[in-house]
């Protein structure tokens, strides 16, 4: 059976938008460590292996926006698609206090195998989707944990991450601020820029409108939660995109 490191849905949908889910899956390809990183199933179901709920939100959001969706089909513990080729966290040996046995002694040959099998094909597919449209808007969907080990609980339900280009993130933040039911973080719980990451490589370097949305994973662990949040986000995104594309700064 042929392995594909990505799943593309709705490629021919009409909106000039692409929804991206870098950490959609906890899959370990059979070609990598015989399909087993040496972690128990409970750890592979944790946030260390993938962004819980993000794929469901991405796919439902794509339907609502009439936009194609690309999801990864490999765990970030295999190799992280949201990292540049030179990033030291590209292949993690320790994540949130958990040692990854199959990564502990991974060498340059192992890294190259994972780049060739997973990382490069995923980014090539995303580049192909971008090239099919005229300067599309890129929306990246992630999730974050309610609390990291040894850290206080996180109060945000949603975070909007951005780099130096805030043309879409700022109007989206303004849209979301109108809903007082939720606490929205501006570049929290993470900062919004890593050189060579997905948004840098495909959006910033091409001057495309883009934003990265982080949702707290306990809110989107169920199918219903994923659909509810996609339905909450879709009209705010459509309004923010409309404002950004009519701005003099575009």
């Amino acid at each position: 059976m042929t392995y594909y490191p990505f799943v593309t849905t709705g490629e021919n949908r009409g909106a000039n938008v692409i929804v991206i889910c870098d950490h959609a899956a906890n899959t370990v390809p059979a070609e990598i460590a015989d399909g087993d990183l040496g972690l128990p199933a409970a750890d592979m179901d944790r946030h260390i292996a993938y962004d819980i709920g993000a794929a469901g939100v991405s796919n439902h959001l794509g339907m609502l926006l009439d936009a194609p969706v690309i999801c990864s089909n490999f765990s970030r513990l295999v190799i992280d698609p949201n990292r540049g080729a030179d990033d030291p966290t590209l292949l993690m040996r320790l994540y949130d206090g958990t040692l990854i046995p199959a990564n502990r002694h991974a060498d340059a040959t192992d890294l190259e195998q994972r780049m060739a099998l997973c990382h490069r094909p995923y980014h090539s597919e995303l580049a192909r989707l971008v090239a099919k449209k005229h300067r599309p808007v890129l929306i990246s969907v992630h999730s974050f944990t309610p609390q990291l080990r040894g850290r206080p609980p996180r109060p945000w339900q949603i975070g909007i991450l951005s780099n130096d280009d805030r043309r879409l993130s700022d109007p989206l933040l303004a849209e979301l601020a109108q809903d007082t039911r939720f606490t929205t973080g501006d570049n929290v719980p993470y900062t919004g820029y890593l050189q060579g990451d997905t948004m840098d490589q495909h959006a910033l370097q091409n001057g495309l409108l883009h934003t990265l949305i982080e949702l707290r994973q306990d809110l989107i662990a169920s199918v219903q939660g994923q659909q509810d949040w996609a339905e909450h986000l879709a009209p705010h995104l459509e309004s923010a995109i409309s404002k950004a594309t009519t701005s003099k700064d575009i």
Side-chain angles (χ1 to χ4, degrees):
M1 183 180 297
T2 303
Y3 166 72
Y4 293 96
F6 53 82
V7 177
T8 300
T9 305
E11 178 176 340
N12 295 317
R13 289 173 180 161
N16 198 35
V17 174
I18 299 171
V19 179
I20 303 163
C21 190
D22 288 325
H23 300 143
N26 59 357
T27 307
V28 181
E31 295 87 346
I32 305 298
D34 295 322
D36 187 348
L37 296 178
L39 290 173
D43 276 332
M44 291 303 297
D45 286 337
R46 294 174 57 217
H47 70 280
I48 63 172
Y50 73 123
D51 278 359
I52 294 167
V57 174
S58 298
N59 282 310
H60 198 63
L61 191 60
M63 288 190 293
L64 293 171
L65 297 177
D66 193 34
V69 180
I70 177 172
C71 291
S72 67
N73 188 30
F74 54 93
S75 171
R76 65 165 138 232
L77 297 180
V78 172
I79 195 164
D80 195 331
N82 194 33
R83 297 292 184 272
D86 297 326
D87 194 301
T89 64
L90 186 63
L91 197 161
M92 294 289 284
R93 291 167 171 80
L94 182 71
Y95 199 132
D96 194 21
T98 298
L99 181 69
I100 319 304
N103 294 355
R104 186 174 183 180
H105 301 296
D107 58 17
T109 299
D110 297 315
L111 177 61
E112 173 55 30
Q113 180 194 19
R114 299 181 193 198
M115 288 290 288
L117 182 68
C118 300
H119 195 282
R120 292 193 195 106
Y122 173 76
H123 284 282
S124 293
E125 172 68 358
L126 177 50
R128 185 185 71 83
L129 293 174
V130 170
K132 284 189 66 175
K133 294 182 177 290
H134 176 66
R135 300 190 60 76
V137 175
L138 305 189
I139 300 168
S140 184
V141 178
H142 291 252
S143 68
F144 64 92
T145 56
Q147 184 175 10
L148 288 175
R149 290 181 181 178
R151 304 284 183 88
R154 290 164 162 170
W156 313 280
Q157 285 81 24
I158 181 171
I160 304 301
L161 277 58
S162 61
N163 44 51
D164 292 337
D165 183 350
R166 298 178 61 96
R167 290 174 297 165
L168 179 56
S169 292
D170 280 344
L172 180 57
L173 281 163
E175 283 281 328
L176 293 169
Q178 298 174 25
D179 193 332
T180 58
R181 295 174 300 168
F182 307 113
T183 300
T184 302
D186 182 355
N187 271 348
V188 291
Y190 306 106
T191 57
Y193 177 76
L194 288 171
Q195 187 172 5
D197 68 10
T198 299
M199 290 291 94
D200 177 49
Q201 184 179 161
H202 297 279
L204 191 63
Q205 293 183 23
N206 293 316
L208 302 180
L209 287 174
H210 62 283
T211 193
L212 191 154
I213 299 169
E214 289 263 11
L215 294 164
R216 211 175 66 201
Q217 68 182 35
D218 58 316
L219 304 176
I220 56 171
S222 69
V223 172
Q224 188 62 57
Q226 293 157 20
Q227 293 178 352
D228 288 347
W229 269 94
E231 290 166 9
H232 174 62
L233 286 168
H236 291 306
L237 278 163
E238 288 176 328
S239 178
I241 290 169
S242 177
K243 291 174 181 176
T245 53
T246 56
S247 169
K248 294 179 180 179
D249 296 329
I250 186 71

